[in-house]
Amino acid sequence: MSQTAPLEVPCPTCHKTVAWVEANAYRPFCSERCKLIDLGAWADGSHRIAGEPAMDETEIDEMVLRAERDAGLTP
């Protein structure tokens, strides 16, 4: 039976090649340091998912009232 080589991926922080194996507790990162650097970037807003900004409750309430009014559900 042949053994396949483990998947290798670049560390998202430093781009060093990392073997995707159970023994690497920090995968996909190469180290705890790189993992914490990435976490800090999410925490300070450097990393973010593109898209529309989230609406606050006031905007949601206004949108619901407008939809109800347009549908003739409210006077």
Side-chain angles (χ1 to χ4, degrees):
M1 184 176 262
S2 66
Q3 290 264 335
T4 59
L7 176 66
E8 291 187 342
V9 297
C11 173
T13 304
C14 71
H15 308 289
K16 175 180 164 186
T17 300
V18 179
W20 191 280
V21 292
E22 232 178 281
N24 179 4
Y26 305 110
R27 67 183 181 270
F29 302 97
C30 66
S31 64
E32 183 178 22
R33 178 182 177 274
C34 282
K35 184 177 179 179
L36 291 174
I37 289 170
D38 185 75
L39 178 61
W42 283 103
D44 75 9
S46 298
H47 287 337
R48 56 189 161 273
I49 299 172
E52 295 292 320
M55 291 192 288
D56 65 16
E57 287 184 40
T58 305
E59 291 174 310
I60 293 170
D61 291 341
E62 290 172 0
M63 186 175 71
V64 168
L65 287 172
R66 191 170 41 252
E68 289 174 348
R69 188 176 53 244
D70 293 345
L73 300 174
T74 59

